Amino acid sequence: MEDMKLINFNASVGTRRRFDAICHASGRTRTSVLVELMTNYILHEGKRLADRQKELGDLDMRFQESLGLKGSNTQMETYHRSVPSPRQTWGDREFDLPEPIFSDGREVW
């Protein structure tokens, strides 16, 4: 049998009451439902994180290959520099934005 450990956590009274009502209606205990929810979360998030890690690794490999580096992270960081984006200013006519409204605090809006 697997070792067990008591877990306590806070939930709002309303949430706990609704949860208890659903558990009672389904004929299950709080523990069985919470363990099932935790297990499903572990499986779902574990897969999502593994897929994300694989996608990032594939992206890194393609990027390195496009630079002809074949796996050198230090060289990739040397050649890859972020380019600052131009800042959009208030009232920029190219974007047809309105002029900003300023107040000295003495006017009633």
Side-chain angles (χ1 to χ4, degrees):
M1 180 162 174
E2 199 172 336
D3 288 340
M4 299 286 186
K5 174 99 174 145
L6 177 65
I7 300 173
N8 291 312
F9 58 91
N10 293 315
S12 70
V13 173
T15 299
R16 188 193 51 80
R17 284 183 182 156
R18 287 188 292 274
F19 184 72
D20 285 347
I22 298 284
C23 288
H24 181 72
S26 64
R28 296 184 63 190
T29 64
R30 277 187 204 162
T31 299
S32 69
V33 173
L34 289 171
V35 168
E36 180 183 351
L37 290 170
M38 290 171 68
T39 302
N40 288 341
Y41 180 80
I42 290 166
L43 293 172
H44 175 76
E45 283 300 298
K47 182 179 181 337
R48 188 185 71 78
L49 292 172
D51 291 346
R52 180 183 167 108
Q53 190 64 34
K54 182 183 179 319
E55 288 176 17
L56 290 172
D58 291 347
L59 179 64
D60 287 345
M61 186 175 14
R62 286 193 305 271
F63 182 70
Q64 290 169 357
E65 287 172 357
S66 73
L67 294 177
L69 300 177
K70 302 283 185 194
S72 172
N73 288 338
T74 56
Q75 287 179 344
M76 181 178 72
E77 292 172 1
T78 303
Y79 288 104
H80 182 217
R81 305 250 188 258
S82 63
V83 178
S85 61
R87 292 185 179 234
Q88 181 177 335
T89 59
W90 281 95
D92 189 341
R93 295 294 171 223
E94 181 181 357
F95 296 101
D96 195 30
L97 297 175
E99 291 296 324
I101 300 171
F102 298 100
S103 171
D104 60 3
R106 290 184 265 171
E107 300 158 288
V108 178
W109 291 66

